[in-house]
């Protein structure tokens, strides 16, 4: 009898890593490329289990297994995360995507490529002006439209519109074929060139960049910090001032309010706290998808969970700004407005962040504020300045603090 394959813990990587693995499977990237262009980064809270098991089973967002990575970690980072070696054993196929039939490997596509084919790299929806330019510059040569369609496993991938426009271009120009490539158009140039070259044996042309149009991206403004650090107070004040300015829609997802409504019934165990943060992140990401601003102020003690929220927002096409309200534990405990620290010290609240459960301080915060000795106005002004710097507010959009 053949020995059963030992089970491994399962892990669903971020969408861009899933796409990288699919490109490796298709032959557009190789294991050797992985040293420079691809890595599988395992969060700290999974690292010990995966290290002990000798590997991990990679699954897609629907839980479908399609690869196994085995071997010792290549590196363990300061934050406790590990990086696994890239020599995948392919065990299945991920769940189908929209326009799945156009996602083909370079070897399969090669049979469709005629001599003299011009490859058009499509990183946004095609417009009539693009088709006129192609008709003028390529003559009657064969065409293939290489649509950079990552993140391809997103339920609302923005690349769907690009694929649809490329199919329309084939119909209007009466020549060419379409290939969907699971690669984010914003990928580093080296990875983009490597992948495109696997599909394009001849001349490659890019679309003319569109002129920059003023457009407001959706935003998730995510506050993290200990209980009593001041994050909820800052978040509410920022919300109020933006609303008073009247230029942007804002939703406040406060940790306590979410607990009473969206996450009613969850405990304060590590697993339930992670579920609560992921729910907040998903709602915030959906708000950002439609151009709104979501302000979130949970404790969010674990770095891997904050990273998961960041990925949800990126997947939705929004911007993510992380504000670490870094008020020290001693000051938070001194304030103790709700008496929670006193209860935690008496053992009445198990797994209380900062006392009996860890808080992983972020190393990737866009802004760090210690509210010790600061007024609420000073803290809020720092946040508003960040929003202006990143283009999410103008000076005219908010009211000044009363003097």
């Amino acid at each position: 009898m053949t020995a059963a394959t030992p089970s491994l813990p399962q892990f669903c990587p971020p969408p861009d890593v899933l796409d990288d693995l699919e490109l490796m499977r298709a032959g557009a990237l190789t294991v050797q490329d992985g040293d420079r262009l691809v890595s599988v980064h395992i969060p700290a809270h999974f690292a010990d289990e995966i290290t002990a098991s000798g590997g991990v089973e990679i699954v897609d967002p629907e839980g479908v297994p399609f690869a196994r990575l085995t071997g010792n970690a290549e590196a363990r980072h300061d934050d406790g995360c590990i990086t696994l070696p890239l020599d995948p054993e392919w065990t299945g196929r991920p769940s189908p995507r929209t326009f799945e039939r156009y996602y083909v490997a370079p070897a399969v596509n090669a049979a469709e490529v005629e001599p003299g084919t011009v490859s058009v790299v499509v990183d946004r929806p095609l417009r009539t002006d693009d088709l006129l330019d192609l008709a003028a510059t390529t003559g009657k040569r064969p065409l293939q439209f290489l649509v950079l369609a990552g993140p391809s496993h997103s339920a609302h991938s923005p690349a769907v519109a690009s694929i649809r426009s490329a199919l329309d271009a084939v119909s209007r120009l009466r020549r060419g074929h379409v290939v969907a490539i699971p690669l984010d158009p914003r990928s580093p140039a080296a990875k983009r060139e490597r992948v495109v070259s696997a599909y394009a044996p001849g001349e490659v042309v890019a679309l003319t960049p569109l002129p920059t149009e003023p457009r407001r991206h959706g935003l998730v403004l995510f506050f993290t910090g200990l209980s009593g650090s001041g994050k909820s107070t800052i978040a509410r004040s920022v919300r109020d001032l933006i609303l008073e300015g009247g230029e942007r829609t804002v939703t406040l997802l406060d940790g306590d309010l979410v607990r009473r409504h969206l996450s009613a019934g969850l405990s304060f165990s590590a697993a339930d706290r992670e579920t609560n943060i992921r729910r907040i992140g998903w709602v915030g990401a959906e708000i950002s998808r439609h151009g709104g601003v979501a302000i979130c102020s949970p404790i969010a003690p674990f770095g891997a969970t904050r990273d998961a929220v960041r990925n949800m927002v990126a997947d939705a096409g929004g911007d993510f700004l992380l504000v670490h309200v870094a008020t020290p534990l001693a000051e938070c405990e001194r304030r103790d407005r709700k008496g929670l620290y006193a209860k935690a010290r008496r053992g009445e609240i198990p797994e209380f962040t900062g006392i009996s459960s860890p808080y992983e301080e972020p190393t990737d915060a866009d802004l760090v504020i210690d509210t010790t000795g600061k007024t609420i106005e000073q803290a809020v002004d720092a946040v508003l300045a960040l929003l202006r710097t990143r283009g999410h507010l103008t000076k005219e959009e908010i009211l000044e603090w009363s003097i």
Side-chain angles (χ1 to χ4, degrees), residues 255-285:
D256 292 338
L257 291 174
V258 170
R259 275 276 177 184
R260 285 198 295 272
H261 300 287
L262 184 63
S263 295
L266 292 182
S267 71
F268 285 89
S269 67
D272 278 2
R273 277 186 288 179
E274 179 169 333
T275 298
N276 181 53
I277 303 306
R278 287 176 180 270
R279 288 179 181 178
I280 291 173
W282 184 85
V283 173

Side-chain angles (χ1 to χ4, degrees), residues 24-202:
M24 291 182 68
R25 177 177 181 146
L29 290 174
T30 67
V31 172
Q32 289 71 33
D33 289 318
D35 293 337
R36 300 178 294 111
L37 305 177
V38 184
S39 64
V40 177
H41 201 58
I42 304 296
H45 63 287
F46 285 141
D48 290 340
E49 179 185 5
I50 288 172
T51 300
S53 301
V56 63
E57 184 172 53
I58 301 296
V59 299
D60 72 8
E62 296 184 21
V64 176
F66 74 97
R68 290 163 62 93
L69 299 176
T70 56
N72 296 323
E74 288 186 334
R76 182 176 285 270
H77 307 282
D78 292 341
D79 59 3
C81 299
I82 60 174
T83 300
L84 290 181
L86 278 174
D87 190 10
E89 172 193 351
W90 307 114
T91 59
R93 295 193 65 85
S95 303
R97 299 153 287 201
T98 305
F99 290 126
E100 178 67 32
R101 61 195 177 277
Y102 295 101
Y103 290 89
V104 298
V108 175
N109 182 60
E112 299 290 326
V113 179
E114 303 174 45
T117 293
V118 176
S119 300
V120 182
V121 178
V122 179
D123 54 8
R124 58 167 173 79
L126 290 152
R127 310 196 317 179
T128 299
D129 287 350
D130 298 315
L131 303 191
L132 294 173
D133 288 343
L134 288 172
T137 57
T138 64
K140 295 184 178 181
R141 284 180 288 172
L143 299 174
Q144 67 166 346
F145 294 88
L146 304 180
V147 182
L148 305 187
S152 66
H153 285 281
S154 165
H156 305 278
S157 174
V160 169
S162 296
I163 297 173
R164 190 182 299 115
S165 73
L167 293 170
D168 182 60
V170 169
S171 175
R172 293 171 67 182
L173 294 173
R174 298 183 181 179
R175 58 194 164 109
H177 68 277
V178 175
V179 181
I181 301 175
L183 181 70
D184 193 317
R186 300 167 294 183
S187 297
K191 180 188 290 185
R192 178 167 166 156
E193 291 171 7
R194 172 68 183 85
V195 171
V196 168
S197 69
Y199 287 87

Side-chain angles (χ1 to χ4, degrees), residues 221 223 230-242 250 252-254 295-297 325 376 380 383:
L221 180 62
F223 291 85
K231 60 188 180 301
S232 294
T233 303
I234 299 170
R236 284 194 300 271
S237 298
V238 170
R239 185 270 315 267
D240 290 344
L241 284 175
I242 295 175
V250 186
L252 178 64
L253 299 172
D254 180 73
I295 300 179
C296 313
S297 56
V325 184
I376 181 62
V380 170
V383 176

